[in-house]
Amino acid sequence: MSTTILEERKAQIHRTGEGAIDIACNRESLAGAVSQRACVFCGSRVVLYPIADALHLVHGPIGCAVYTWDIRGALSSGPELHRLSFSTDLQETDVIFGGEKKLEAALDELIDRHNPKAAFVYSTCIVGIIGDDLEAVCRKMTEKKGIPVLPVQSEGFKGSKRAGYLAACKAMFRLVGTEDVADVSPVSVNILGDFNLAGEIWIVREYFRKMGVEVVANITGDGRVRDVGRSHGAALNLVQCSGATLDLAKMMQEKYGTPYLRVSYLGIEDMADSLYQVADFFKDKDPGIVGRTEKLVRDELQTLMPELARMRKDLEGKKVAMYVGGSFKAFSLVKAFRHLGMQVVMVGSQTGTKEDYAELEQITDPGTVIIDDANPLELSHFIKEKDVDVFVGGVKERPIAFKLGVGFCDHNHERKEALEGFVGMLNFAREIHSSVMSPVWNFVPRRANRVAEAEKEAANE
Amino acid sequence: MSSATKAERPNYVSTTNACKLCTPLGASLAFRGVEGAIPFLHGSQGCATYMRRYVISHFREPVDIASSALGEKNAIYGGGPNLKKGILNVMKKYEPKLVGIATTCLTETIGDDVPMNIREFRDEFGDLDLPELVEVSTPSYNGTHVDGWHGAVRSMVEQLCTAKAADAHRVNILPNMVSCEDVRHLQDICRDFSIAATILPDISETLDGPALEDYVKIPSGGTPLEDIQAMSGSRGTIEFGRCLPKQTGGTSLEKAFGVKNHRIGLPIGLRESDRFFEALEQISGKDMPRRYELERGRLIDAYVDGHKYVAGKRAVVYGEEDLVVGLTAFLAEIGVDVVLAGTGARKKGLENAIAHVTDGVARMAPDVREGVDFNDIAEEAETLKPDLLIGHSKGYKYAKAWSVPLVRIGFPIHDRFGGQRILHLGYKGALSLYDTIVNTVIERKQSDSPVGYGYI
Ligand code: SF4
Ligand code: SF4
């Protein structure tokens, strides 16, 4: 008999309301479990990649670089250097004799060819093993080229994706404080933990513009090296996505005293609440800000709500499962689905912490499955058990849903639709609606057979 | 193409937008084409996850690739224990008939001895009902995904087909990295030749499955293990590829069991397809069925009907080495000038292979480049002024920049739908490629013209 859920995985699964939550998390993935999770390098790459005027050089064999080539929808309003895939493409001789010379030469030619404002050098597993001294090479190239060349210690095997976030933050922190901040407004923020997928940061920046708040640095969507350099001039850090950039905010708080707020631009409440929190923070410096923010939210909701109400009629009572990278996003999504009258019955994440899961248990309905570091068999098991109507995940999760005849919404770093802000909520609702309400599910065997059976029973009665 | 221009090219140290993938990816794909098999990467977790994501984007199917998920300690003290634990977990969850184990850069570099680990595993857990365990060494700093594919195929043949089977009216086909639709077409052809075929690997169902009632742990389909074991009794082997390594599944079978190996190119275009049908006639002892005579005739008819649309168009072709050879052979036949033929792989004899397959028909010899990335191709292409780009999706950025249409062929197709269902092989495949290319040219002509002709 095969087992869907391995004994060693059981501690990473919990059901809301069934005893105290004590979920095991932040563990290494289990060998042979087919985890949906990537590696440290992946974590660093996600965070730093959108900095558009930096060179991102992957020091390692070719695969690591190719698989991360422009896979996300992180848009730039200017340079697009981030959309190219650079690699030292290590060969056997480099592995035997060391890759430092090649790395140096690669940086030399790439910096000359592209004139980046900075270069990030990512170490991959193999580099960790052959022991190249990234730090030394980067120091040397910083001097030679006159731009910051920053090592990102992201050897894949040295932990999970979370460890990669920290490595990325450490690399960025070296840039912070390198630029002049004399002209920064006292009513100013940095946007942390947003990657400008499909231009989402532009939506959020527009809200801040209307509120009268200056955005100093986007970290990192539509990011620029110079902005990161002057980000310490901002009065406040806004941190979205619990794992990715929180470390940077903490480092800045410690060194520059910059306070931070945790925000989310997903869903109605969280979006509005985030804007209100910012307004509240600045109300002493700018008393008009609260009024402007209220007006902004009111205007946006006026167009949004009637549309949502229309879709809600169809979606009421449908069931949702989600598996996302960071659990912070899950909080917002649970609330967003309530606006659509839908019920979340399973929620999982790749990198949640104990606190995250405890909070999820607080906001979900009894019986909801909470799961850390899942895999295809577990996901399909719970989708079936809960008889889900729509699944929210990323590219790797999509075929699992589709094979089971379940609607799908891509809500990962790879999505190409803007889902943040009020307009994003509308896009999100539309996407959910168009998938859940599609006629194709009538033909999917799992559903079709069930309908046929029901009809047969009705005829027999 | 002269050596002078080659010398002038800068020899870059770095790679920008690579035109190749890493070795274990190819091995994983090949393992996916065996019945009841699950690919298993011995390395850290990231590699397997990234490859799954990449493959899923093309096939739009669940692709479960297990990993030994090595952490820091394993990387230092060796990955053997995790490998064993991983195999056990995969057995528990998937009940596979075969676990295809490919190494990664990490485990190659730390020097894990996988064959030894597997021997130990068999000793330790011999009382369990063990699946077949096939291993292949796939360091990615030494080759591309194509090497991984061929390596896995060879490993499967050598490690599973170990005894001489009874002679049978069978043919072995080692199809190279072709699409699911291609494999289905090969199955049909062999059926029409009334010969049983072992196609290794057979991804036609495992990577392009139907909608089902339930989520299956391992999709049905794939080459049956018994068929692999029976390969030693076949009438002959046909392996596609003019850039294959010296030793392959086909040469192993020939050496160990005297199964004659017919190494021919990928049957793309008329002449290369002729080679394939000739080989099948020889092995099956049967003349080409009428339906293929007709397909062949229709292809030539179409070549004639459409020749003016494509005459003298200039194409840049890139991708897997053997696909590039096949496409170049086909393009030469229809009067398209291949101005650059590039692959990310090195030392594959691409230039010779292309000279061979275009001999007598090509209007010009293309600039043949091995070890290229898209940056190299871009530098060349500016001066080559192509009318068409032919290859996988990754050339899109460049096609857009030069405002040249991209005909998507091969793997991966990430920005179009149905890549797994593109037919390339045989007369029928050539015809469908031909239609696509001619229509691409016509569409461009229409959209560039202010007149808007309704008849072209
Ligand atoms: S480490 Fe090697 S095997 Fe893993 S993704 Fe990178 S290139 Fe591929
Ligand atoms: S080699 Fe390491 S860094 Fe590269 S993808 Fe694999 S796990 Fe990640």
Side-chain angles (χ1 to χ4, degrees):
Chain A
M1 250 312 277
S2 73
T3 21
T4 298
I5 300 159
L6 294 165
E7 205 48 50
E8 287 157 287
R9 289 266 320 133
K10 289 195 172 144
Q12 283 165 275
I13 301 168
H14 175 82
R15 285 173 199 256
T16 299
E18 293 179 11
I21 181 159
D22 180 29
I23 212 165
C25 53
N26 226 345
R27 281 187 177 175
E28 276 179 13
S29 293
L30 179 62
V34 192
S35 165
Q36 299 295 88
R37 199 153 82 173
C39 58
V40 183
F41 162 69
C42 169
S44 301
R45 194 89 169 97
V46 181
V47 173
L48 296 174
Y49 157 87
I51 301 179
D53 56 355
L55 181 94
H56 300 270
L57 174 61
V58 180
H59 186 33
I62 200 66
C64 319
V66 178
Y67 304 132
T68 52
W69 173 12
D70 202 23
I71 57 174
R72 310 187 193 290
L75 300 186
S76 164
S77 54
E80 298 216 316
L81 198 48
H82 68 304
R83 303 191 63 184
L84 304 178
S85 163
F86 301 111
S87 167
T88 46
D89 191 1
L90 292 181
Q91 298 297 307
E92 189 152 23
T93 44
D94 308 314
V95 174
I96 298 167
F97 300 111
E100 289 177 20
K101 282 224 168 59
K102 189 169 194 185
L103 174 59
E104 233 179 273
L107 281 166
D108 221 352
E109 74 186 14
L110 288 171
I111 291 172
D112 287 352
R113 202 189 304 160
H114 296 284
N115 291 312
K117 295 287 187 291
F120 292 102
V121 182
Y122 303 78
S123 56
T124 56
C125 288
I126 210 170
V127 171
I129 297 295
I130 61 179
D132 282 358
D133 189 347
L134 231 59
E135 192 71 49
V137 174
C138 288
R139 205 178 314 120
K140 185 169 164 197
M141 294 312 287
T142 302
E143 266 163 41
K144 185 168 174 198
K145 295 290 166 187
I147 58 162
V149 178
L150 305 162
V152 186
Q153 299 293 352
S154 53
E155 293 86 343
F157 59 80
K158 288 197 169 156
S160 81
K161 205 168 156 188
R162 283 191 86 83
Y165 299 153
L166 180 60
C169 289
K170 279 186 181 158
M172 276 194 288
F173 192 58
R174 296 192 185 198
L175 289 174
V176 175
T178 54
E179 297 280 342
D180 180 41
V181 292
D183 59 341
V184 173
S185 155
V187 180
S188 56
V189 298
N190 298 312
I191 296 179
L192 270 68
D194 195 283
F195 306 108
N196 201 34
L197 308 176
E200 289 174 335
I201 266 195
W202 301 330
I203 298 171
V204 175
R205 282 185 70 120
E206 179 60 17
Y207 296 156
F208 288 132
R209 193 190 60 77
K210 286 186 177 157
M211 289 164 58
V213 177
E214 179 187 333
V215 177
V216 180
N218 302 333
I219 299 174
T220 54
D222 198 11
R224 299 292 182 274
V225 172
R226 177 170 177 268
D227 293 344
V228 179
R230 60 204 285 274
S231 60
H232 60 299
L236 177 66
N237 277 330
L238 300 177
V239 185
Q240 186 183 233
C241 186
S242 51
T245 51
L246 189 60
D247 292 316
L248 181 66
K250 286 182 177 162
M251 291 176 208
M252 285 175 72
Q253 186 177 43
E254 195 168 303
K255 182 153 177 197
Y256 301 101
T258 319
Y260 69 85
L261 287 177
R262 296 184 61 171
V263 295
S264 165
Y265 312 124
L266 294 166
I268 302 172
E269 282 115 331
D270 285 358
M271 182 69 245
D273 188 50
S274 299
L275 297 179
Y276 286 140
Q277 277 193 68
V278 174
D280 192 50
F281 182 87
F282 288 117
K283 68 176 186 289
D284 297 338
K285 286 181 193 159
D286 177 0
I289 194 169
V290 175
R292 287 195 297 275
T293 308
E294 281 168 0
K295 177 169 178 342
L296 167 94
V297 173
R298 213 179 313 118
D299 289 351
E300 293 282 342
L301 289 185
Q302 233 155 36
T303 45
L304 174 62
M305 292 317 266
E307 294 255 8
L308 286 188
R310 220 168 301 144
M311 284 185 269
R312 181 176 174 137
K313 275 200 204 97
D314 293 329
L315 296 173
E316 193 84 52
K318 303 272 185 199
K319 283 177 276 176
V320 184
M322 61 174 96
Y323 188 70
V324 292
S327 51
F328 213 66
K329 178 157 70 189
F331 305 151
S332 296
L333 286 176
V334 169
K335 293 181 224 165
F337 276 116
R338 291 225 167 95
H339 274 283
L340 297 172
M342 300 170 78
Q343 191 200 353
V344 173
V345 291
M346 188 209 99
V347 46
S349 102
Q350 287 181 33
T351 56
T353 60
K354 274 212 188 314
E355 301 78 55
D356 295 340
Y357 290 122
E359 187 164 344
L360 270 179
E361 133 115 352
Q362 286 289 313
I363 60 168
T364 50
D365 297 330
T368 304
V369 174
I370 299 178
I371 185 165
D372 177 63
D373 186 18
N375 52 63
L377 294 190
E378 290 171 3
L379 292 174
S380 58
H381 173 84
F382 289 118
I383 290 173
K384 273 189 299 184
E385 182 197 300
K386 296 287 182 186
D387 197 13
V388 160
D389 296 290
V390 67
F391 188 86
V392 178
V395 175
K396 289 191 300 294
E397 285 80 48
R398 184 176 57 203
I400 301 171
F402 285 173
K403 277 288 165 202
L404 285 166
V406 163
F408 183 77
C409 169
D410 186 354
H411 209 312
N412 250 342
H413 287 290
E414 302 174 8
R415 68 176 190 265
K416 306 293 188 289
E417 298 292 333
L419 302 179
E420 290 181 359
F422 300 104
V423 62
M425 177 67 199
L426 190 55
N427 293 342
F428 175 64
R430 283 199 183 119
E431 193 176 331
I432 294 287
H433 187 268
S434 62
S435 191
V436 173
M437 300 313 292
S438 168
V440 299
W441 308 124
N442 292 316
F443 314 114
V444 170
R446 206 164 72 90
R447 307 254 178 213
N449 294 348
R450 204 184 299 164
V451 172
E453 237 159 68
E455 277 169 4
K456 216 163 67 190
E457 261 172 43
N460 287 343
E461 269 166 21
Chain B
M1 234 236 345
S2 66
S3 52
T5 52
K6 262 186 192 164
E8 284 160 22
R9 279 185 211 118
N11 197 5
Y12 293 123
V13 173
S14 57
T15 298
T16 302
N17 299 343
C19 189
K20 60 180 175 183
L21 304 163
C22 72
T23 329
L25 179 133
S28 303
L29 279 180
F31 286 133
R32 276 281 299 203
V34 173
E35 191 178 69
I38 186 136
F40 188 113
L41 294 191
H42 185 35
S44 39
Q45 179 60 45
C47 311
T49 306
Y50 272 133
M51 285 178 223
R52 287 178 58 210
R53 187 222 155 265
Y54 204 86
V55 174
I56 287 171
S57 299
H58 174 89
F59 291 98
R60 297 173 191 260
E61 287 288 301
V63 178
D64 292 5
I65 299 174
S67 164
S68 47
L70 300 187
E72 185 149 25
K73 278 196 213 88
N74 315 113
I76 296 165
Y77 299 112
N82 258 47
L83 175 61
K84 293 175 194 170
K85 185 165 149 199
I87 299 172
L88 285 175
N89 279 338
V90 163
M91 282 166 54
K92 271 188 229 155
K93 283 187 64 149
Y94 288 85
E95 300 177 301
K97 291 186 188 160
L98 181 145
V99 182
I101 302 155
T103 56
T104 61
C105 305
L106 175 64
T107 47
E108 285 288 334
T109 312
I110 61 178
D112 269 3
D113 185 345
V114 175
M116 187 192 75
N117 286 326
I118 291 179
R119 273 197 303 278
E120 287 173 3
F121 181 85
R122 285 204 181 101
D123 290 344
E124 274 171 59
F125 300 102
D127 51 333
L128 299 178
D129 186 11
L130 293 184
E132 297 286 350
L133 303 169
V134 172
E135 53 81 23
V136 58
S137 156
T138 43
S140 152
Y141 45 77
N142 207 346
T144 70
H145 58 299
V146 179
D147 297 286
W149 173 284
H150 295 313
V153 171
R154 181 180 161 204
S155 287
M156 285 192 277
V157 168
E158 291 178 353
Q159 292 167 40
L160 296 173
C161 186
T162 46
K164 173 74 183 167
D167 279 345
H169 189 65
R170 299 187 71 90
V171 57
N172 308 319
I173 298 182
L174 309 181
N176 210 320
M177 274 190 72
V178 294
S179 76
C180 302
E181 191 68 29
D182 286 326
V183 178
R184 288 191 282 267
H185 188 44
L186 291 173
Q187 287 163 347
D188 287 345
I189 294 173
C190 292
R191 204 170 301 128
D192 290 334
F193 271 88
S194 308
I195 187 164
T198 301
I199 302 176
L200 180 70
D202 175 355
I203 57 168
S204 64
E205 209 177 319
T206 54
L207 282 169
D208 194 12
L212 295 171
E213 168 90 29
D214 205 351
Y215 186 88
V216 285
K217 299 189 171 193
I218 301 178
S220 59
T223 320
L225 287 177
E226 312 81 71
D227 286 7
I228 300 176
Q229 280 147 0
M231 285 172 99
S232 51
S234 291
R235 291 272 158 85
T237 303
I238 304 177
E239 58 179 10
F240 296 157
R242 295 184 178 278
C243 299
L244 297 176
K246 263 206 190 72
Q247 289 176 348
T248 55
T251 62
S252 293
L253 283 168
E254 182 157 58
K255 197 161 150 222
F257 306 107
V259 183
K260 186 168 164 38
N261 190 35
H262 302 251
R263 184 175 283 190
I264 57 177
L266 274 175
I268 298 181
L270 182 74
R271 299 199 305 175
E272 290 290 88
S273 294
D274 284 346
R275 301 284 96 76
F276 171 55
F277 282 98
E278 279 158 24
L280 259 188
E281 285 184 330
Q282 240 184 64
I283 295 170
S284 71
K286 193 173 164 174
D287 285 345
M288 182 151 80
R290 176 167 152 79
R291 99 176 253 194
Y292 298 98
E293 294 283 2
L294 287 175
E295 276 179 8
R296 186 174 191 280
R298 264 185 223 114
L299 178 64
I300 297 169
D301 190 58
Y303 274 10
V304 172
D305 291 345
H307 74 279
K308 279 197 198 173
Y309 297 113
V310 291
K313 293 288 179 222
R314 300 161 67 82
V316 167
V317 181
Y318 59 85
E320 278 96 43
E321 51 268 30
D322 271 311
L323 185 65
V324 168
V325 174
L327 289 172
T328 306
F330 162 67
L331 291 164
E333 284 173 0
I334 64 172
V336 169
D337 297 337
V338 175
V339 288
L340 184 131
T343 183
R346 287 171 222 267
K347 301 202 185 98
K348 299 291 171 188
L350 188 67
E351 188 151 7
N352 274 338
I354 284 182
H356 184 81
V357 296
T358 57
D359 186 37
V361 288
R363 300 167 8 123
M364 61 175 289
D367 182 355
V368 178
R369 303 286 313 277
E370 293 192 351
V372 284
D373 58 20
F374 278 102
N375 184 63
D376 298 324
I377 294 178
E379 287 191 358
E380 306 276 316
E382 305 265 341
T383 54
L384 296 170
K385 304 220 175 325
D387 302 298
L388 287 168
L389 231 61
I390 300 181
H392 52 74
S393 283
K394 296 302 165 192
Y396 167 65
K397 186 182 156 54
Y398 296 91
K400 188 174 160 79
W402 309 328
S403 171
V404 169
L406 168 64
V407 180
R408 289 166 180 79
I409 290 177
F411 172 85
I413 310 283
H414 283 163
D415 63 340
R416 282 293 182 275
F417 194 67
Q420 69 278 48
R421 290 182 287 273
I422 297 176
L423 181 65
H424 312 80
L425 304 188
Y427 306 122
K428 203 168 145 193
L431 189 53
S432 91
L433 289 182
Y434 189 64
D435 288 346
T436 306
I437 289 171
V438 172
N439 283 331
T440 303
V441 172
I442 289 177
E443 195 183 325
R444 176 45 63 107
K445 192 173 168 156
Q446 261 181 336
S447 62
D448 285 354
S449 149
V451 182
Y453 294 105
Y455 285 89
I456 288 217

